[in-house]
Amino acid sequence: IVLVGMELGDSIGRYSRTKEMDVEIKKRKMRAGKRLLEILAKQSRSRLLDTSKKPIKGFEPLEIKKSDR
């Protein structure tokens, strides 16, 4: 399982729909999603990969090179 484009940190990306929703609600949802993925990583026997700059605990970092895009 590979996560691509899932930056679940404290900042909200420019492609998120923040105009329609409260920024604090968006941040809480991102934290909850990260916690759920960390729980999945503890319980899963699948190989879990993450392309983000700060991979989620339990996920292997996967670097995508420009030539791969």
Side-chain angles (χ1 to χ4, degrees):
I1 300 171
V2 180
L3 293 179
V4 179
M6 297 292 293
E7 294 290 338
L8 297 173
D10 292 329
S11 62
I12 297 173
R14 67 180 184 189
Y15 296 108
S16 289
R17 296 180 188 161
T18 54
K19 293 176 186 169
E20 299 172 12
M21 87 175 42
D22 185 15
V23 174
E24 285 306 311
I25 292 173
K26 179 74 173 183
K27 287 182 181 182
R28 277 190 271 157
K29 287 181 178 181
M30 288 170 44
R31 284 192 296 268
K34 185 175 182 178
R35 282 193 307 268
L36 289 171
L37 288 168
E38 288 172 349
I39 291 168
L40 171 72
K42 287 180 184 177
Q43 297 178 357
S44 178
R45 290 180 279 154
S46 299
R47 187 173 178 200
L48 305 170
L49 305 165
D50 190 353
T51 61
S52 67
K53 295 174 188 172
K54 293 183 179 179
I56 294 171
K57 290 179 190 173
F59 282 67
E60 294 176 48
L62 176 65
E63 184 179 338
I64 298 179
K65 299 174 188 171
K66 285 189 176 188
S67 61
D68 293 344
R69 292 180 189 178

